[in-house]
Amino acid sequence: YTRASKKEESQVLFRISAQPESVVMGQKLVLRAKFYTSDSRFRLQNMTVPNLPAFRVIDKKGPTFGREKINGINYEYSEWMIELFAQRPGVHCIPALSAEYEYP
């Protein structure tokens, strides 16, 4: 975890979502990771997906690219989608994903 400066906080976002929020064994879960930037000088270097031993990964897509306005700020984004299925019963936590970026 690296703390961003106040200026970087408004220029870079990394959002992770899971749909649905909980699943039963054999049910599909879709993870989405979006790296947003409002300044094209920020360059995404790497996006890391953790080991997911309780899940079977079916498909990985991305990156796809787009634009979105959030809180009045225009962002460009790169998005990855990972489809997986729970393969073991029980309560499982999905570890954090991470994004590394560079700013000249």
Side-chain angles (χ1 to χ4, degrees), residues 37-79:
T37 181
S38 64
D39 183 336
S40 62
R41 293 175 292 175
F42 285 92
R43 297 278 184 219
L44 181 63
Q45 298 299 308
N46 189 33
M47 201 264 306
T48 304
V49 178
N51 186 18
L52 302 165
F55 298 90
R56 181 170 44 99
V57 176
I58 299 301
D59 197 10
K60 293 180 185 179
K61 297 177 184 172
T64 57
F65 305 95
R67 294 170 191 232
E68 192 172 327
K69 191 172 199 169
I70 302 171
N71 297 330
I73 300 171
N74 291 314
Y75 290 92
E76 293 180 355
Y77 67 80
S78 302
E79 179 181 33

Side-chain angles (χ1 to χ4, degrees), residues 19-32:
Q19 290 295 323
E21 289 186 18
S22 65
V23 295
V24 296
M25 193 168 121
Q27 183 180 0
K28 181 169 71 172
L29 174 69
V30 178
L31 291 180
R32 293 182 185 274

